[in-house]
Amino acid sequence: MAKRPTIHDVAAAAGVSRGTVSRVLNDDRYVSPASHAAVKRAIAETGYVLNRAARSLVTQRTGSVVMVLSEPQEKLFEDPNYSVLLRTATRRLAERDVSLVMMIAGNDGDRDRVVRYLRGGHADGAFLVSTHAGDKLVDALVDIPVAAVAQGAVIGRENVIPYAAADDREGARQMTRYLVERGRRRIATITGPLDTPGGALRLEGFADILGRKASKKLIEHGDYTQLGGESAMARLLERAPDLDAVFVASDLMAAGALSALRAAGRRVPEDVAVGGFDDSAVALSTHPPLTTIRQPLERVAEETVRLLLALIDGAEHVDPVILPTTLIVREST
């Protein structure tokens, strides 16, 4: 059996000391560009593979982080936003040779497993996605010495868990203002869950523009699923059959709302204008294509990873990042 190449083999091939190779492997900034390039070339030539177990004993790092989705497992496959976040985070972490572990925390048993995993020191940090207000997982994380950031603010913990997010409230204002400017007079909304920042802030943005016209009769709550959007739209039509526009807090729910409107014999946009939020792949697959608010999910994921890596590298504090949204006009309005 061929001998597995060692760090000494890499040093010999690169013409540098073992210490220089070690500094390159540990991303030490105090290595000359020439030595760095020589070591990387020697690693490729020798086929050297880093022994992560040995490295973790020295660096006290595992070389991995956990993405925790606080939703039922089926939502991971239904909502295209999660695949964007997962793909982007995986790519950005790979640039630092950090692996991403995906864990679901949709119920108490799942949450307990996540806490045990993190408490056991199996990851250097946690990337929280779709975290709900009052989530016991967040309370547990405060007591675990592990870096944690969130995609979207954790309601009630905004000053405890750093986050990156789109400007949900301003995005909702943009859509609602646009519907008003299009001459719509009876505008309803389907919210996301109000214990999530997207649900709460998008409702606030809707109310900012409509004021007293944002009556309870024209507000229905959804769950970010297509079926939830369809059911919520049907309830709105029963309660307010004269509505002429609806702002839906996600594209997936808006697709469901379009199905309910078709079933009720309402034309879109002639009878009812429909606006969504996300600009996901769903927005182009609906009939008609969906006017929506684009949130820069790739940038949100990149910024969340940046914040997490900064904390892992020893930063005592990082500031939240809020990114602007864009109105995308298509044929549903």
Side-chain angles (χ1 to χ4, degrees), residues 5 103 111-112 126 129 285 322:
M103 298 188 76
R111 282 187 282 274
D112 288 344
V129 179
S285 67
I322 299 177

Side-chain angles (χ1 to χ4, degrees), residues 50-226:
L50 179 64
N51 185 330
R52 288 192 175 276
R55 180 179 180 181
S56 67
L57 291 173
V58 176
T59 65
Q60 299 298 303
R61 292 188 184 180
T62 67
S64 68
V65 302
V66 177
M67 176 181 281
V68 183
L69 175 62
S70 296
E71 297 289 356
Q73 188 175 32
E74 55 268 20
K75 280 197 175 183
L76 174 63
F77 302 100
E78 180 185 17
D79 193 326
N81 289 339
Y82 297 137
S83 64
V84 173
L85 293 171
L86 183 59
R87 181 177 65 250
T88 305
T90 300
R91 185 176 67 246
R92 288 304 183 197
L93 288 166
E95 293 172 0
R96 282 279 300 270
D97 199 23
V98 175
S99 300
L100 183 69
V101 177
M102 183 77 197
M103 298 188 76
I104 303 294
N107 57 45
D108 287 342
D110 291 340
R111 282 187 282 274
D112 288 344
R113 277 187 287 276
V114 172
V115 170
R116 288 198 302 271
Y117 188 85
L118 293 172
R119 189 168 280 145
H122 300 297
D124 299 321
F127 180 123
L128 308 180
V129 179
S130 197
T131 308
H132 297 251
D135 191 331
K136 295 178 182 178
L137 172 64
V138 176
D139 294 332
L141 281 175
V142 174
D143 297 325
I144 300 174
V146 64
V149 299
Q151 180 269 312
V154 179
I155 295 175
R157 294 287 192 168
E158 294 91 344
N159 296 323
V160 178
I161 306 291
Y163 64 93
D167 193 338
D168 291 298
R169 188 167 184 167
E170 179 56 29
R173 290 181 186 133
Q174 289 173 305
M175 178 60 75
T176 309
R177 188 182 298 116
Y178 170 75
L179 292 172
V180 170
E181 291 171 351
R182 295 287 292 177
R184 304 292 173 163
R185 295 288 177 264
R186 194 82 165 130
I187 305 173
T189 189
I190 297 173
T191 78
L194 296 185
D195 61 352
T196 65
L201 291 172
R202 292 170 200 177
L203 176 57
E204 289 177 18
F206 173 79
D208 288 343
I209 300 301
L210 292 185
R212 293 181 180 178
K213 291 183 179 180
S215 68
K216 290 184 179 179
K217 188 176 183 180
L218 292 170
I219 299 171
E220 190 56 63
H221 304 300
D223 59 0
Y224 287 145
T225 69
Q226 186 166 338

Side-chain angles (χ1 to χ4, degrees), residues 285-300:
S285 67
T286 59
H287 181 72
L290 195 62
T291 292
T292 188
I293 295 296
R294 176 179 294 161
Q295 58 167 327
L297 274 180
E298 288 194 5
R299 285 192 61 203
V300 169

Side-chain angles (χ1 to χ4, degrees), residues 3-6 9-15 37-49:
K3 181 184 176 184
R4 184 176 178 176
T6 68
D9 298 321
V10 174
V39 170
K40 289 295 186 181
R41 186 169 57 250
I43 288 172
E45 290 173 353
T46 61
Y48 173 76
V49 177

